[in-house]
Every structure is written in C-alpha cells, then in structure tokens.
C-alpha cells in the first residue's frame, strides 16, 4: 500500500454493469474506466476488481487512493471524471455502492 497520511482516503465503488457478463462491452467499460480515471493527476493506486462474494450481486469494483480530501475533491470535480460519470457511468452501470475509507 502507498504511504498514507492522516488525511488519506480510499475511494471504492462496487457495481454491476448493464452489459452481459464476459461481453466485449463489459471489458471495454472496465478498460476505459481505468484508462480515463488514472489519467487524473490526483488518483493513485487505481485497481479494477472482479467481485466474487456470494453475499451481494455486484460484479466489479474500482478502487483508488487519494493523499487527502483536497485531492479527492479535485478528482470529483475533474472534467474527465465528470465526463466519464455523465457519458458512461450513468448509461452503463445498473447498480452501485460507493464506499470511502479514511484512516
């Protein structure tokens, strides 16, 4: 794990896509999400996960770290993040849960 400060934030979302599991559209969304979101300067340690617990119906996860609240706010307001949410996330994600952790 990266060096953490008191303000460190782990931002995570677990989600299910509208696309068929294993489809090219699903793979493209995950690849595009990683490519676009990692290009935002304040994002560190970005990970794409396959959710495997039988205790919920979500299928994927994105997780990323921010050094502090200001970096997290900059990410949320960044034009690439806003565009991804509006043009991809809102249209292709069926359900999601967002969890932000601090230490």
């Amino acid at each position: 794990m990266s060096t953490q400060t008191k303000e460190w934030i782990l931002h995570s979302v677990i989600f299910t896509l509208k696309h068929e599991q294993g489809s090219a559209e699903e793979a493209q969304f995950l690849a595009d999400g990683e490519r676009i979101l990692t290009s935002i300067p304040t994002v560190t340690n970005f990970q794409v996960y396959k959710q495997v617990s039988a205790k919920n119906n979500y299928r994927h996860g994105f997780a990323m770290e921010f050094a502090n609240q200001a970096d997290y706010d900059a990410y949320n307001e960044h034009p690439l993040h806003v565009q991804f949410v509006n043009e991809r996330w809102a249209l292709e994600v069926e359900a999601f849960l967002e969890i932000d952790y601090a230490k």
Side-chain angles (χ1 to χ4, degrees):
M1 183 168 281
S2 66
T3 304
Q4 298 175 10
T5 65
K6 210 170 175 183
E7 297 183 69
W8 171 87
I9 295 171
L10 171 62
H11 170 65
S12 61
V13 289
I14 55 172
F15 56 94
T16 299
L17 294 170
K18 294 177 181 178
H19 306 301
E20 185 176 327
Q21 199 165 2
S23 68
E25 294 85 1
E26 176 187 68
Q28 189 65 60
F29 179 90
L30 298 173
D32 289 347
E34 182 172 17
R35 178 182 51 79
I36 293 165
L37 299 176
T38 58
S39 71
I40 299 172
T42 60
V43 172
T44 62
N45 198 24
F46 187 94
Q47 302 291 321
V48 178
Y49 295 105
K50 178 179 178 183
Q51 196 293 119
V52 296
S53 172
K55 295 179 181 180
N56 70 68
N57 294 322
Y58 298 106
R59 293 196 319 238
H60 304 285
F62 287 164
M64 62 203 81
E65 297 178 14
F66 299 94
N68 52 50
Q69 187 65 49
D71 282 1
Y72 181 47
D73 293 344
Y75 160 79
N76 274 320
E77 298 165 6
H78 195 282
L80 289 174
H81 176 254
V82 172
Q83 182 178 14
F84 181 75
V85 168
N86 291 335
E87 295 179 6
R88 300 295 299 277
W89 189 270
L91 301 175
E92 298 179 58
V93 173
E94 185 173 283
F96 74 95
L97 176 63
E98 182 173 322
I99 304 170
D100 296 325
Y101 297 103
K103 222 172 172 182

